[in-house]
Amino acid sequence: EKGGYPHYMLKEIMEQPRVLYETYTGLMSSRELEKAAEILASADHIFVTGAGTSYHAGLVFAYFMARIARRPVITFISSEYLAYRSLDHSNSALVAISQSGETIDTLQAVRSFKSSGGRVVAVSNVVGSTIPRESDTTVYTRAGPEIGVAATKTFLTQVLALTSIALALAVHTGSLTKAEYTEAMRELRNASHAASSGIDRSIRLVELLASSLRSKNNIYVLGRGLGVPLAYEAALKIKEVSYIHAEAYPAGESKHGPIALVEEEFPVIFVGVPPEDELLEKLQSNVMEMKARGASTIVIGTSSYRELEGVDFYIDVGNYSEILAPYAVVPPFQLLAYKLAVMLNRDPDKPRNLAKTVTVE
Ligand code: M6R
């Protein structure tokens, strides 16, 4: 049932091109996006929540909502809903992201929000699960069952669904013209190709990278802009399946504390995403400040980042626009986490101490 793969995690990483395509066609042939856009358009305040990987997808959503729909979004981790509990939510909307639809923290955020008058748009992979049932509308990912504890294909399908919601809202409110919307949706159809390219261009290199990282105790994963939530997700994947401590933070924060840990050979992975004309130069100085302390510098990014100097190891995922970049950039990180786990004799499908669905607080 693993389709010839040694682990579900690998099977699910490799399935991404197909399930992205299925999610895309599902969204295009349903009214889910319109319904979500209607709810969001009528709200004065928009919140987004989730736990773990789903929260990271929420951060990507907030990024595209600001960039494309020009709407600020308040992001919070679902177990932290208490901070917003006493607000009047009658003019607010919450986007609640949960692959399983059963995560207790996210469900409680939904219930708390509803009880103070808010409307809820769920994003889920499981039809008929609790969070969709208690929400006003649901946008479904069509990733199929995910057996591996580590979320892989569900993350990128969430990103696809959420980016589509941001685009649907943008056309609904006039931030995008009908023609611009059609063009952007047509572009998103290539999410599937971007994922194939991310996999194909990295599968061999990741092996080399994993053998040089397997003996490390710590890894930093740094990005800017859209690269920040992708870095968080990369670090979560690495730590949960390989048990190597990986920490992600926005690259600009190094000087504000974390660079104190960096010494000879400390591995720092940079996530390189568009818009390159705004980010490349800044990332270059972050690479240099790490290099100056003897760090091993690694870049996983779009082809434009080839220009960076002082990089020891580079995985070029191809050149993609901002809305397509996540699909190309994320698979190499998933493969890296997987390879590290296998090399270190850890079962990537069943990381210790973790359950696929967390139904206790
Ligand atoms: O089912 P959910 O999306 O609500 O699950 C939330 C988290 O428990 C989940 O994303 C978790 O962080 C991942 N399995 C980690 O890979």
Side-chain angles (χ1 to χ4, degrees):
E1 74 283 22
K2 292 178 196 153
Y5 291 103
H7 298 99
Y8 284 109
M9 185 179 178
L10 184 58
K11 169 179 180 269
E12 289 162 358
I13 293 170
M14 302 307 261
E15 266 172 13
Q16 289 179 114
R18 180 174 61 77
V19 298
L20 283 165
Y21 182 73
E22 275 159 21
T23 297
Y24 179 84
T25 49
L27 292 173
M28 295 307 280
S29 58
S30 71
R31 293 213 55 247
E32 294 171 10
L33 294 175
E34 284 97 313
K35 287 192 199 157
E38 273 161 31
I39 292 179
L40 299 185
S42 63
D44 290 339
H45 304 288
I46 301 174
F47 294 77
V48 64
T49 199
T53 294
S54 292
Y55 171 68
H56 299 153
L59 296 176
V60 174
F61 175 64
Y63 180 85
F64 283 131
M65 283 287 284
R67 295 273 290 175
I68 303 169
R70 310 205 184 281
R71 290 291 309 266
V73 170
I74 299 159
T75 59
F76 68 98
I77 289 176
S78 56
S79 55
E80 290 296 323
Y81 73 94
L82 293 170
Y84 301 107
R85 184 183 39 173
S86 48
L87 299 182
D88 171 7
H89 287 307
S90 43
N91 290 316
S92 303
L94 173 68
V95 176
I97 309 165
S98 176
Q99 183 280 125
S100 62
E102 303 295 347
T103 298
I104 189 74
D105 295 323
T106 310
L107 178 59
Q108 281 180 345
V110 167
R111 287 182 175 159
S112 156
F113 210 79
K114 293 230 75 171
S115 70
S116 44
R119 303 184 75 196
V120 178
V121 175
V123 174
S124 182
N125 194 42
V126 182
V127 177
S129 55
T130 312
I131 291 170
R133 274 195 277 120
E134 297 201 11
S135 300
D136 295 279
T137 195
T138 301
V139 175
Y140 283 104
T141 52
R142 275 99 172 157
E146 190 175 62
I147 312 293
V149 165
T152 53
K153 60 177 180 170
T154 56
F155 175 66
L156 283 183
T157 53
Q158 286 169 339
V159 168
L160 181 63
L162 290 158
T163 305
S164 306
I165 297 173
L167 289 167
L169 177 65
V171 71
H172 193 99
T173 57
S175 302
L176 285 185
T177 64
K178 195 96 188 105
E180 286 167 334
Y181 172 72
T182 309
E183 177 55 33
M185 286 309 290
R186 193 172 300 146
E187 196 181 341
L188 264 191
R189 191 169 43 191
N190 291 326
S192 168
H193 295 123
S196 299
S197 156
I199 292 170
D200 295 347
R201 285 166 165 261
S202 67
I203 197 133
R204 306 272 286 278
L205 292 171
V206 148
E207 192 103 21
L208 290 174
L209 185 56
S211 29
S212 76
L213 293 177
R214 58 180 288 178
S215 55
K216 301 291 182 180
N217 295 318
N218 296 288
I219 301 174
Y220 275 164
V221 189
L222 311 186
R224 284 177 175 266
L226 180 59
V228 175
L230 304 185
Y232 289 144
E233 178 55 13
L236 174 59
K237 248 17 20 145
I238 294 169
K239 77 182 122 190
E240 73 177 324
V241 301
S242 77
Y243 314 150
I244 295 175
H245 175 245
E247 181 182 342
Y249 62 84
E253 281 289 283
S254 292
K255 291 187 225 46
H256 302 284
I259 203 167
L261 241 64
V262 175
E263 52 188 7
E264 288 293 320
E265 312 276 292
F266 190 109
V268 184
I269 311 181
F270 294 88
V271 186
V273 290
E276 290 90 349
D277 55 344
E278 288 175 55
L279 299 182
L280 199 131
E281 221 170 289
K282 292 185 197 291
L283 214 67
Q284 178 68 77
S285 36
N286 299 128
V287 169
M288 287 332 241
E289 72 195 355
M290 288 299 175
K291 207 68 212 142
R293 272 97 193 160
S296 311
T297 53
I298 299 138
V299 172
I300 298 181
T302 54
S303 306
S304 310
Y305 285 88
R306 271 205 181 281
E307 281 174 35
L308 289 177
E309 283 165 28
V311 176
D312 299 317
F313 194 91
Y314 177 63
I315 296 180
D316 171 359
V317 300
N319 251 338
Y320 289 95
S321 66
E322 194 167 34
I323 63 169
L324 284 181
Y327 312 100
V329 166
V330 169
F333 282 105
Q334 299 167 333
L335 288 166
L336 174 64
Y338 172 76
K339 280 280 161 215
L340 283 169
V342 171
M343 281 180 186
L344 294 167
N345 273 323
R346 280 142 202 185
D347 181 354
D349 287 343
K350 287 197 190 60
R352 65 187 180 205
N353 308 333
L354 295 177
K356 182 69 182 162
T357 306
V358 183
T359 52
V360 285
E361 268 184 279

